[in-house]
Amino acid sequence: MRSAFGSLGIGQDFPNPAFAQDNRGKRSIVLELRQPEARERLEELLSTADVFLTNLRPDALDGLGLEPAATVARHPRLVYCSVSGYGLRGEDRNRPAYDIGAFWARSGLSVQLANSEGVPLNAAGRHRRPHQRAGRPGRPPGRGARAAPDRRGRVVEVSLLRTGTYVLGWDLSLQETVGKVAKAEARDANQTPLMNSYRTKDGRWFFFTGLEADRHIDPVLRALGRPELRADPRFTDARALRKNRTEVIAVLDDIVGERTLDEWAERLRCGRSLVGAGARTG
């Protein structure tokens, strides 16, 4: 991760704020584990450790004598957490992986988040860091080990691919049930106009969060200051919104474009409404 800016041709001496943020407040040592003395020192550390967390590939762990089950056998109190690209088993277990490959591409998540032309999402910056999510399943066992130091050790594993599959759980369950999932839609043709984004007067973005359209039509129109639109056949119910979505979105575009994001936020706060949220841009 320290060399993450290498893809931009930036040298390793350039400060990496992402690395600094993830490792803030930590103490560290460096061990060259290909040297026997360093492996002995690591074994000493493991003998008093609660948790061992690693993101090395399984074959690399095997070569260093750190195979999960054998390591826990040597240190019965140890919670061994493996965070890898494709897991400890299977034909891809030793395949090198970055998040953009295992999490975004192989899981199908980038395609599911494609634009209306079907171009897969190329996530950037903090959105390309699923390792933070992947590491979370390892946290509860670690806390448990500290709370009960005499408990028996175990191996906990999670992979980028598995985490991506979990994130896609909603879509995968639909695929399993009805044989397909919804394709990406252009914003101006979204089938759920009350769950859509709109540009404000100052060029920022605002999302309506009317999940239950039939129940949320009235609160949305009141928040917009346009309750009279309820009499418009296009705004009758959820079915009408979907049928006339292009026209409905155009009407909402015009209304939202009349005020700045701060003005809309103030109106929603005053109305104690849960039908909208501004999109953070910086």
Side-chain angles (χ1 to χ4, degrees):
M1 183 176 174
R2 286 182 177 176
S3 303
F5 290 105
S7 61
L8 301 175
I10 299 175
Q12 293 190 15
D13 57 342
F14 183 79
N16 187 329
F19 182 86
Q21 188 271 334
D22 280 351
N23 294 281
R24 66 195 187 282
K26 297 179 182 178
R27 294 184 298 170
S28 63
I29 62 171
V30 177
L31 294 175
E32 174 49 83
L33 294 179
R34 286 171 291 190
Q35 302 297 326
E37 297 81 3
R39 288 201 296 273
E40 291 177 5
R41 178 57 179 146
L42 177 61
E43 290 295 317
E44 294 176 8
L45 293 172
L46 293 178
S47 67
T48 59
D50 295 315
V51 179
F52 175 62
L53 176 64
T54 176
N55 68 345
L56 294 179
R57 299 192 311 272
D59 59 345
L61 293 169
D62 295 346
L64 293 171
L66 292 171
E67 188 276 329
T71 302
V72 173
R74 294 196 304 273
H75 306 283
R77 295 174 53 255
L78 188 68
V79 176
Y80 187 116
C81 300
S82 169
V83 182
S84 62
Y86 299 100
L88 295 175
R89 292 169 292 280
E91 60 182 17
D92 287 333
R93 67 188 294 267
N94 296 323
R95 183 172 182 172
Y98 286 116
D99 48 10
I100 196 170
F103 178 83
W104 290 104
R106 288 287 298 277
S107 72
L109 185 58
S110 63
V111 173
Q112 191 58 29
L113 296 176
N115 63 21
S116 58
E117 297 177 351
V119 179
L121 173 70
N122 187 356
R126 59 187 176 276
H127 306 295
R128 278 186 53 184
R129 297 169 64 198
H131 60 275
Q132 292 181 325
R133 303 181 187 91
R136 285 173 186 162
R139 294 179 186 174
R143 291 172 181 163
R146 292 186 179 91
D150 59 342
R151 66 180 298 170
R152 297 183 60 184
R154 65 187 64 191
V155 176
V156 179
E157 64 161 308
V158 68
S159 68
L160 293 172
L161 179 61
R162 181 182 296 179
T163 305
T165 303
Y166 174 80
V167 172
L168 271 175
W170 179 294
D171 299 287
L172 293 175
S173 65
L174 287 175
Q175 178 74 40
E176 180 69 20
T177 303
V178 302
K180 61 180 180 180
V181 294
K183 295 182 179 180
E185 299 173 318
R187 190 197 67 83
D188 58 1
N190 190 324
Q191 295 189 58
T192 54
L194 299 192
M195 291 284 288
N196 200 19
S197 59
Y198 297 88
R199 192 188 294 270
T200 59
K201 183 178 180 179
D202 52 347
R204 300 166 74 185
W205 288 92
F206 179 88
F207 275 86
F208 284 119
T209 58
L211 178 63
E212 301 173 59
D214 286 329
R215 185 165 71 90
H216 288 141
I217 293 175
D218 286 327
V220 167
L221 295 181
R222 286 197 299 269
L224 292 174
R226 296 294 299 276
E228 73 279 3
L229 283 175
R230 196 66 163 90
D232 187 321
R234 298 172 296 180
F235 289 81
T236 301
D237 53 25
R239 186 183 297 273
L241 291 174
R242 181 181 179 187
K243 180 180 178 181
N244 301 285
R245 56 187 177 274
T246 302
E247 297 176 32
V248 168
I249 292 172
V251 171
L252 296 178
D253 273 335
D254 290 340
I255 297 173
V256 174
E258 295 173 354
R259 299 175 185 271
T260 67
L261 180 60
D262 288 342
E263 289 174 320
W264 285 120
E266 183 62 28
R267 288 177 66 90
L268 291 173
R269 278 196 295 268
C270 290
R272 301 180 63 84
S273 174
L274 296 176
V275 298
R280 184 177 295 276
T281 57

